[in-house]
């Protein structure tokens, strides 16, 4: 059953990553201005944030099963509506609904998984789920670009929608048998004060934001770096694939036992340091082999950080408050991606300056966590 939840996580992120190379060209086809094309890309992340929070609240109130199946069905439905887009404004409406529905899936899936994983194995479980996310990051963009190039964006989205609909049907019958009757007990709502006073939750939420902030910078600046060095344009995709593969190897190899043997706050700090150092290296190098080395190091740091923040969240919540915590957690994910690319774009930084700024943030996060730990 755990594998089926991993499969849902994979396809949820597959849906996200498959969109990345095709939405802005599709918006241009619909005669959108550059501003509206950019808004069409960002609208998904904006509404996804609201979906994450809603998912967390109802996962605690009703249990993650109902919200998970609902999210899969609604996302499938809205994926089929891309064929109805006639102009930029109708596309914006579809993107908003798609992001909102998709935001329901991930917090519910991770809550379902965490509530059924022994606490002593929560780090390894988070590592395996991270491997499925990494796999989606590698396969999704290639699928989106290839299928959209041959058949168009609406067909690409419809195929993904059919996959999610099939998952929803299987989830209804497979997971329903494993749903425990929830006792009529009050949930434990997470207030702002509770987050600030809970070091584990604060580290998890800020870790999620900083992790995806650096991802936003990387996605925005890496193609510019490659172009500036007059290297082949396809190298950007290869570099991102190297990052994903190195992360997956750490997630799946026996080294993943480390996440249950070492306190997550330590792997958190090491992950921040390695990712920051990798970005500093990326800003300084100008030859292909060292670019690949930088991305390998970045992938290792990512692989240390992702299970750490998941473990911190699990350790800092109970079953009755975990859904809302995951909702906020993935809302910080969505906000981080938008903030990273927007920050570097607004300041008109060069690729190297963007990598240095993000690296400083990561290393500073490690230093702040170390200082807090000492206290």
């Amino acid at each position: 059953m755990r594998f089926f939840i991993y499969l849902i996580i994979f396809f949820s992120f597959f849906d996200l990553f498959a969109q990345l190379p095709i939405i802005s060209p599709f918006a241009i086809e619909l005669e959108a201005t550059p501003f509206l094309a950019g808004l069409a890309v960002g609208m998904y992340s904006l509404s996804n944030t609201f979906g994450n929070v809603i998912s967390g609240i109802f996962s605690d109130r009703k249990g993650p099963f109902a919200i998970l199946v609902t999210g899969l069905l609604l996302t499938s439905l809205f994926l089929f509506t891309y064929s109805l887009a006639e102009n930029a404004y109708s596309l914006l409406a579809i993107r908003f609904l798609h992001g909102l529905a998709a935001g329901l899936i991930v917090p519910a899936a991770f809550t379902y998984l965490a509530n059924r994983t022994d606490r002593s194995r929560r780090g390894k479980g988070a590592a395996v789920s991270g491997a499925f996310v990494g796999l989606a990051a590698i396969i999704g963009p290639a699928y989106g670009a290839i299928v959209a190039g041959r058949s168009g964006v609406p067909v690409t989205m419809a195929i993904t929608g059919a996959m999610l609909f099939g998952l929803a049907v299987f989830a209804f019958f497979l997971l329903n048998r494993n749903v425990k009757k929830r006792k009529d007990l009050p949930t434990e709502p997470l207030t702002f004060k509770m987050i600030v006073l809970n070091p584990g939750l604060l580290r998890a939420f800020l870790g999620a934001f900083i992790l995806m902030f650096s991802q936003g910078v990387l996605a925005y600046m890496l193609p510019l770096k490659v172009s500036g060095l007059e290297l082949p344009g396809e190298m950007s995709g290869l570099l991102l694939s190297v990052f994903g593969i190195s992360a997956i190897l750490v997630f799946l190899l026996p080294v993943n036992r480390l996440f249950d043997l070492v306190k997550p706050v330590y792997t958190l700090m090491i992950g921040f340091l390695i990712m920051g150092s990798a970005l500093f290296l990326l800003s300084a190098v100008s030859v292909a082999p060292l670019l690949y080395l930088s991305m390998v190091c970045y992938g290792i740091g990512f692989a240390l950080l992702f299970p750490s923040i998941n473990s911190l969240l699990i350790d800092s919540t109970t079953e009755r408050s975990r859904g809302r915590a995951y909702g906020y957690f993935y809302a910080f994910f969505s906000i981080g991606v938008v903030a990273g690319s927007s920050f570097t774009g607004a300041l008109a930084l060069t690729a190297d300056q963007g990598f240095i700024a993000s690296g400083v943030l990561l290393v500073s996060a490690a230093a702040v966590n170390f200082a807090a730990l000492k206290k």
Side-chain angles (χ1 to χ4, degrees), residues 192-199 202:
F192 179 76
K193 183 179 179 181
M194 287 175 63
I195 293 172
V196 171
L197 295 178
N198 188 319
L202 193 57

Side-chain angles (χ1 to χ4, degrees), residues 47-57 102-104 107 327-328 330-331 334:
S47 61
N48 196 259
T49 303
F50 296 112
N52 292 152
V53 175
I54 293 169
S55 175
I57 292 171
L104 301 177
Y328 293 151
Y330 280 100
S334 299

Side-chain angles (χ1 to χ4, degrees), residues 5 90 134 140 148 298 343:
I5 299 295
S90 59
Y298 186 88
F343 171 79

Side-chain angles (χ1 to χ4, degrees), residues 25 51 60 80 131 138 174 180 182 216 223 229 349:
D60 284 340
F80 283 102
I138 294 173
L174 290 177
K180 298 177 182 177
R182 293 179 66 82
L229 294 174
L349 300 178

Side-chain angles (χ1 to χ4, degrees), residues 204-291:
F205 293 155
L206 291 179
F209 175 81
I210 294 170
L211 173 67
M212 298 314 291
F213 183 96
S214 74
Q215 284 288 97
V217 172
L218 189 68
Y220 181 68
M221 291 297 186
L222 188 60
L224 299 180
K225 172 80 175 183
V226 170
S227 174
L229 294 174
E230 298 183 354
L231 295 169
E234 60 269 19
M235 183 174 286
S236 297
L238 292 174
L239 288 167
L240 289 172
S241 295
V242 167
F243 145 62
I245 292 169
S246 60
I248 289 172
L249 289 176
V250 175
F251 284 140
L252 295 181
L253 290 175
V255 70
N256 65 16
R257 297 171 187 166
L258 178 75
F259 301 118
D260 291 324
L261 298 175
V262 179
K263 288 184 177 180
V265 66
Y266 295 125
T267 48
L268 175 90
M269 291 187 293
I270 296 170
F272 276 139
L273 283 173
I274 294 177
M275 289 178 70
S277 301
L279 289 176
F280 289 144
L281 179 61
L282 192 60
S283 71
V285 300
S286 57
V287 293
L290 292 179
L291 291 174

Side-chain angles (χ1 to χ4, degrees), residues 59-60 111 115-116 180 182 317-323:
S59 290
D60 284 340
T111 301
N115 289 348
R116 286 156 180 78
K180 298 177 182 177
R182 293 179 66 82
T317 55
T318 68
E319 188 171 334
R320 297 201 307 276
S321 64
R322 193 163 292 141

Side-chain angles (χ1 to χ4, degrees), residues 3-186:
F3 177 78
F4 184 70
I5 299 295
Y6 289 141
L7 204 59
I8 291 175
I9 291 170
F10 168 80
F11 277 104
S12 178
F13 281 94
F14 177 86
D15 171 34
L16 167 64
F17 290 118
Q19 308 167 29
L20 296 181
I22 63 177
I23 290 300
S24 53
F26 184 52
I28 298 299
E29 283 181 25
L30 297 174
E31 300 181 350
T33 63
F35 171 75
L36 289 177
L39 189 58
V41 175
M43 183 62 74
Y44 176 94
S45 295
L46 176 64
S47 61
N48 196 259
T49 303
F50 296 112
N52 292 152
V53 175
I54 293 169
S55 175
I57 292 171
F58 283 95
S59 290
D60 284 340
R61 290 182 180 176
K62 303 295 183 182
F65 166 75
I67 199 74
L68 180 59
V69 174
T70 301
L72 287 168
L73 285 173
L74 288 177
T75 305
S76 171
L77 171 66
F78 293 130
L79 279 165
F80 283 102
T81 63
Y82 277 84
S83 60
L84 303 177
E86 297 179 347
N87 52 49
Y89 296 102
S90 59
L91 178 62
L92 285 174
I94 292 169
R95 292 289 290 165
F96 179 85
L97 294 171
H98 180 192
L100 187 66
L104 301 177
I105 301 173
V106 174
F110 273 92
T111 301
Y112 194 101
L113 192 62
N115 289 348
R116 286 156 180 78
T117 301
D118 186 84
R119 188 175 289 267
S120 64
R121 300 181 60 196
R122 83 274 191 264
K124 184 177 179 180
V128 175
S129 63
F132 279 88
V133 174
L135 194 61
I138 294 173
I139 298 175
Y143 157 83
I146 292 171
V147 178
R150 293 178 178 177
S151 305
V153 172
V155 172
T156 306
M157 295 302 198
I159 293 172
T160 307
M163 294 176 187
L164 292 181
F165 179 79
L167 279 178
V169 173
F170 280 111
F172 180 80
F173 290 105
L174 290 177
L175 301 184
N176 194 32
R177 292 180 296 179
N178 292 274
V179 174
K180 298 177 182 177
K181 296 294 183 183
R182 293 179 66 82
K183 296 179 181 178
D184 196 15
L185 294 172

